Amino acid sequence: MSLDQQVALARLPRSESSHLSKAARQAVPPFLQKLYEIVNDPRNDELIRWSENGDSFYVLNHERFAREVLGRWFKHQKFTSFVRQLNMYGFHKIPHLQQGVLKSDTDTEPWNFEHPHFHRGQPDLLCLIQRKKQPANNNSNVLDVNSIVHGIAAIKRHQQAISADLNALKKSNDLLWEEATLTRQRHDKHQDTINRILKFLAGVFG
């Protein structure tokens, strides 16, 4: 649905109604439709209801609300998941103030949420509530893959350099062994020649 269509819906004449028009239902996500109906349902007043001005709503006992209401409308009974969904659609929690000091949340304190387009008696405003876009991680994923590829290539080059060094050492070692063998053979020949000469001299001079 285009932005122009959403604005046109938002400008429709208002009536104090808790029901969405057919056009609004086609544009409003199911979570927002259910939320609006939950807040408007008088059977839930002990647990969730509009503020006095109708520009925000209260969850009066979040544990009972999760157990007795969420389970009837959603496939879970987790209040944290409910709050996470609210945050994803741009709802803000209004902090409690008492004598100028922020109060901490306890089981008995109400949770107050607001959104500029979530008002009592104005269901067609819901089409203006947009889900926050998730940050695109495609570029970072591409960068991560590229860095991994470059790292693997660097490791491969390092391994190739080590292999070349090992081959050079092996060749050098083979040459040393070959030279040592030739030296030993020459030494044996010289020793044999010296022994022959000594034997000859011993025979000549008795």
Side-chain angles (χ1 to χ4, degrees):
M1 188 175 191
S2 68
L3 180 60
D4 292 339
Q5 291 174 315
Q6 293 175 1
V7 172
L9 277 173
R11 290 176 177 171
L12 290 174
R14 304 293 170 207
S15 61
E16 288 294 322
S17 171
S18 62
H19 301 290
L20 279 73
S21 67
K22 184 177 180 181
R25 284 189 178 276
Q26 294 176 350
V28 177
F31 173 77
L32 297 177
Q33 295 185 33
K34 292 179 180 180
L35 174 63
Y36 197 82
E37 293 179 21
I38 289 172
V39 179
N40 278 291
D41 191 340
R43 294 174 297 178
N44 300 325
D45 280 354
E46 289 185 2
L47 302 175
I48 183 172
R49 63 169 177 256
W50 290 106
S51 64
E52 184 177 352
N53 295 329
D55 56 358
S56 66
F57 68 91
Y58 288 94
V59 176
L60 304 178
N61 185 317
H62 71 270
E63 288 190 348
R64 282 188 57 199
F65 171 76
R67 188 170 57 250
E68 300 176 21
V69 178
L70 288 183
R72 288 191 281 113
W73 291 86
F74 301 98
K75 296 180 180 179
H76 65 83
Q77 296 182 1
K78 298 180 180 178
F79 186 69
T80 53
S81 298
F82 175 73
V83 174
R84 187 162 51 248
Q85 283 281 78
L86 290 174
N87 292 334
M88 290 175 64
Y89 282 99
F91 285 80
H92 297 286
K93 183 177 182 293
I94 303 174
H96 301 296
L97 293 173
Q98 186 178 40
Q99 296 180 349
V101 180
L102 286 174
K103 292 175 63 180
S104 61
D105 294 315
T106 66
D107 293 344
T108 58
E109 290 173 353
W111 290 55
N112 188 198
F113 297 95
E114 66 175 353
H115 191 286
H117 301 306
F118 193 81
H119 294 274
R120 179 176 56 205
Q122 300 184 38
D124 288 338
L125 279 178
L126 298 178
C127 63
L128 299 178
I129 300 178
Q130 299 293 313
R131 181 169 178 161
K132 292 180 180 179
K133 294 182 179 179
Q134 298 296 324
N137 293 323
N138 293 336
N139 291 336
S140 61
N141 290 338
V142 171
L143 291 176
D144 290 343
V145 172
N146 287 338
S147 63
I148 292 172
V149 171
H150 291 317
I152 293 174
I155 293 172
K156 188 175 181 180
R157 288 194 299 270
H158 187 60
Q159 288 179 330
Q160 291 173 344
I162 292 175
S163 296
D165 290 341
L166 289 174
N167 289 332
L169 287 173
K170 186 175 183 299
K171 289 181 180 179
S172 178
N173 189 55
D174 291 341
L175 290 174
L176 286 174
W177 274 106
E178 185 176 351
E179 185 176 350
T181 301
L182 292 175
T183 301
R184 181 60 182 268
Q185 290 175 352
R186 287 196 295 270
H187 174 268
D188 291 342
K189 287 183 178 179
H190 292 163
Q191 188 65 42
D192 183 63
T193 301
I194 291 172
N195 289 337
R196 287 174 181 273
I197 292 173
L198 290 176
K199 187 177 180 179
F200 172 76
L201 291 174
V204 171
F205 295 102

